[in-house]
Structures are given as C-alpha cells and as structure tokens.
Amino acid sequence: MTPFEWNFPTKLTYGPGRIDEVGQIAAEFGKKAMIATYAKGSALDPVIERVESSLRAAGLEVVIFTGIEPNPRAQTIDKATDIFIAEKCDLVIALGGGSVIDGSKYIAATAFSGGKSWDYVVLGERTPREYTGAFPIISIPTISAAGSECNAGGVIQNAETNEKSFSRSPYRIPKVAIVDPEILKSVPLHLTKESCIDIFSHLVEHYLSSHAESEFADRMTEGMILCLMDNFEKIVQNIEDVEVRGQLALCSIFGWSGIQALGRLGCIPMHSVEMPLSAYYDLPHARGMVVVIPAYLEHMADAIPHRFAKLARRCFGVTETDDLVAAKLLHVKVREWFKRMDAFLTLSDVGIPDDKFEQMADDVVRMFPGGAPESTAGPRPISKDEIVRIYQLCK
Ligand SMILES: [Fe+2]
C-alpha cells in the first residue's frame, strides 16, 4: 500500500427537501452569495428560485450568475470571477452538475488568489500557478456523476485553444454539500445513464491505473461498483425513485472522493483520452466517457492484467483463472453491460469523425505527459499511436 493522507472536510447534508436549508447554512459563511448555475430556461429554473428565496429569507444578498456551460469555459469562469470580485461576494453556491461545481471552484479560488482561471490548470511541462486560498463554496448537485460536490478537483476548457484540463486544490473543497434527492428526480433518462457510467469511470480509474495493491480500496471500490450497477438497473425502471437517486448520489460522491484510492494513488488516463472529445466537439464529459471506456479497457488489458482480471472476476462474473484471458474479457463484459442498459455509444453515434485522431492524441501526450517521451501517464506510458488506436476502437 502506498503511504497516503486523506480527509473528507465537506459536511454532507443529505435528505429530501433539504435544499431549503441553504439560506441558513450559507449565513454561516457570509452576507452576500453568488449563485453560479447553468443558463436559465431549463427544468432547473424553479430550483434556482428556491435557492434564491432561501438565501434572501436568511438575510443574504444574492448575485446570480447563469450561463456556465456543460463543459465550463475558462472565459465564462473569468467573467463570473470578475463579477464576484466587483460585487464583493463572500461565497459561491454551486448549483448544478459537475461542470457548474467545477467552474464554481475556479471562481471561488481565482477571485481569492488573483489571475485567470486557466493559470491554475495542469498544462504539459508548465508549472501551474498555486492558489493562496479560496472563498467558501456550498455545492448543490443537480445530477449525480462527477463527485465534484465533495472533492478538490475541477476541469475547465479553454475555448480559444480547444484545450481541456484540470487541477486539484484543497482550498476548493466545498464546505457543505447539500444533496437533495428530490431535485435529482428531474434528470432525464439519457443523462442519468451517462452519469452512471461516468461514476463507473471514476471508480475504476485508480483501480486500473496503479500497480499498487490495496485490498481495502479494492473492496470499497468493488462494493460501490456493485451498488452502482444495482441502482443503475433500478433507476431506469423509475427515474423518480428518490431512494435510488440517493444511493446513486452516494456512489457519485464517494466514487471520486479519494476513499476509492486509499493506498493506491494512480493517474487518470481514461479521462485524459476523453478530454479532447469534449474540447474539440463540446461533447458532454459523461457521454465522452461512455464512448471511451470500452475501447480503453480493450486496448489496455495487457498493461496490467492482474488488476483488470481482478475487477472482471469480482464485479462482472468472469470465472476464467488465467489473468490475461480474464483481463481481456473485462471490456467484453463492460460493453455487454452498457448495451444491456441501452447506453452503449460509439464515436459515430455522437457524430464525431476520425479526421482529428492524430491531433487529439498529440494534445493528450503534450498536456498530460507520462514517464516516457511522447506519452501520457497510465499503468504503462501510453504513446500517441496507442491513443489513436483507442480512438479507432471507439468508432
Ligand atoms: Fe468523469
């Protein structure tokens, strides 16, 4: 097991109807709140109004910033940051999915630390700027997928350069996450399916990207994957089942909380391979992961076969005793699962042609360099040609 530090500083406030407590909770952190959210004109509008009412009832002033994109743009975040500073806000209420919560983290920390949001992301060999602190963040997830509501991570994209990248900072961990399963009921079926698969991608990234053994982390992860699979089956039967929405919310939060990786820090090659799909084609991240996961698992099975085999046996019913054979069955089982859930997608299904594979692979190895030249990090360094091959398997 690799030495580690872990804490979970976010106070988790869970339960139907608890969104109405936001005013009372926010009052502990300041007098003027920015609500950061998506563009108005969706099923979320009444929820925005509810949050605003609760804040005003608790005596807070409110600034509403709408228009954070599903792939949050650095340029939009910078605009929100300027407004946050000009309005002298004290805290951010991140009301939305992973994109809004990620974007809100950059608003809160960039407003506190100065500069532009893009200064802080990982970008090849450059040393990212470091935050000096952040204004408090209260997250209210409206979709269960990214786990961003309780962690330090955040992904944004640069609309001027077609680059998408990430950073992590403990300053940006939300103080409180209000997880109200009632408001998760309105997530449409196709987004629910894609989100479940994004949760799966988080659960397996470290499991399949590190040679370190940590049985505790394995068992935690396997338990969460099995819980996710069970509740994925249930939610497609009734997307308004509040209890099931709650179980999926916990899979989202703890699936990317670090607890799934205790003693086994790894890298995130699957996410790195997906990022150009979102950056060039504005593909929602979760949909991109649906496309990338089976192809990645197929191509990388022989890189770390004993880990792939363990997952295949413990979560997907594989009984084959030879590790390499079992490892190569994982992508088959995952594809079958996606198809059974009517969630399987290829690049052509999402309208992405093959003419930018080289360019996108170049971006991945440039932005997220691995241990060998012209490669990205992974269970073994992944070359540009291998990334092109993975994209070809996504067709
Ligand atoms: Fe993800």
Side-chain angles (χ1 to χ4, degrees):
M1 196 158 58
T2 309
F4 65 86
E5 289 174 356
W6 184 76
N7 70 357
F8 190 83
T10 305
K11 181 177 176 183
L12 197 49
T13 299
Y14 174 84
R18 299 201 70 180
I19 192 176
D20 295 323
E21 295 175 33
V22 63
Q24 181 194 327
I25 292 167
E28 293 173 31
F29 298 101
K31 291 182 165 46
K32 191 169 190 177
M34 169 180 275
I35 299 173
T37 190
Y38 297 116
K40 282 203 172 174
S42 76
L44 205 55
D45 288 1
V47 181
I48 299 171
E49 283 166 25
R50 229 168 123 183
V51 168
E52 184 183 2
S53 307
S54 174
L55 291 167
R56 292 200 189 280
L60 279 88
E61 288 183 78
V62 180
V63 174
I64 303 181
F65 183 85
T66 58
I68 296 185
E69 301 87 355
N71 284 311
R73 296 182 177 191
Q75 292 74 13
T76 306
I77 299 308
D78 291 340
K79 208 183 296 175
T81 304
D82 290 344
I83 295 170
F84 186 98
I85 293 168
E87 292 279 353
K88 298 188 169 55
C89 294
D90 299 315
L91 72 152
V92 184
I93 312 287
L95 177 63
S99 300
V100 160
I101 301 172
D102 283 4
S104 298
K105 290 174 176 174
Y106 283 90
I107 296 168
T110 312
F112 188 98
S113 307
K116 300 285 184 192
S117 55
W118 196 249
D119 299 342
Y120 296 89
V121 303
V122 170
L123 203 61
E125 303 293 351
R126 94 171 178 181
T127 305
R129 186 168 169 170
E130 288 191 16
Y131 295 119
T132 53
F135 288 96
I137 302 160
I138 295 174
S139 61
I140 306 178
T142 59
I143 191 163
S144 302
S148 184
E149 49 271 31
C150 297
N151 69 26
V155 179
I156 54 173
Q157 80 174 72
N158 188 329
E160 287 161 7
T161 60
N162 286 329
E163 292 170 320
K164 183 172 180 179
S165 188
F166 68 98
S167 63
R168 294 178 58 78
S169 167
Y171 291 125
R172 303 186 312 199
I173 297 174
K175 301 288 184 203
V176 182
I178 303 173
V179 181
D180 183 337
E182 283 281 352
I183 64 169
L184 300 170
K185 286 195 311 188
S186 58
V187 179
L189 182 61
H190 75 282
L191 282 183
T192 301
K193 290 180 179 182
E194 290 164 8
S195 301
C196 284
I197 291 173
D198 191 25
I199 295 171
F200 175 69
S201 78
H202 302 154
L203 285 164
V204 299
E205 274 279 25
H206 294 97
Y207 197 109
L208 299 177
S209 305
S210 169
H211 292 265
E213 289 292 338
S214 175
E215 188 62 12
F216 178 84
D218 283 355
R219 287 303 193 188
M220 290 287 291
T221 304
E222 292 155 9
M224 287 191 276
I225 291 171
L226 294 173
C227 181
L228 170 71
M229 293 172 87
D230 284 349
N231 285 282
F232 192 173
E233 298 266 356
K234 289 177 185 168
I235 204 65
V236 298
Q237 303 303 320
N238 175 12
I239 61 168
E240 296 199 349
D241 188 321
V242 169
E243 180 59 29
V244 174
R245 287 286 182 191
Q247 294 296 318
L248 292 171
L250 294 180
C251 290
S252 163
I253 290 166
F254 290 98
W256 215 211
S257 64
I259 202 169
Q260 86 290 354
L262 290 185
R264 189 185 49 230
L265 289 176
C267 46
I268 53 168
M270 280 200 300
H271 275 69
S272 302
V273 170
E274 188 286 322
M275 282 184 190
L277 301 181
S278 295
Y280 281 94
Y281 299 100
D282 216 16
L283 189 68
H285 166 67
R287 197 168 305 160
M289 292 313 302
V290 174
V291 172
V292 164
I293 291 169
Y296 175 89
L297 297 182
E298 181 174 355
H299 181 75
M300 294 300 286
D302 62 349
I304 187 167
H306 67 290
R307 301 291 311 160
F308 278 59
K310 195 174 192 179
L311 185 65
R313 291 182 189 123
R314 289 184 169 181
C315 292
F316 289 93
V318 169
T319 53
E320 171 61 49
T321 53
D322 180 87
D323 275 357
L324 187 56
V325 176
K328 289 184 173 177
L329 286 172
L330 180 61
H331 79 91
V332 176
K333 293 291 182 183
V334 168
R335 270 200 181 86
E336 284 173 5
W337 174 43
F338 286 8
K339 286 180 180 173
R340 195 165 65 249
M341 302 312 298
D342 194 22
F344 181 75
L345 291 171
T346 63
L347 280 177
S348 51
D349 290 331
V350 297
I352 294 183
D354 59 8
D355 59 339
K356 287 198 173 61
F357 286 0
E358 295 271 337
Q359 198 176 339
M360 293 194 300
D362 258 336
D363 283 358
V364 176
V365 298
R366 174 177 59 80
M367 293 173 65
F368 312 111
E374 299 283 292
S375 74
T376 193
R380 66 162 183 251
I382 308 170
S383 69
K384 177 189 161 186
D385 287 348
E386 286 185 288
I387 296 168
V388 171
R389 165 88 177 124
I390 292 169
Y391 289 140
Q392 277 164 346
L393 290 170
C394 295
K395 281 171 41 174

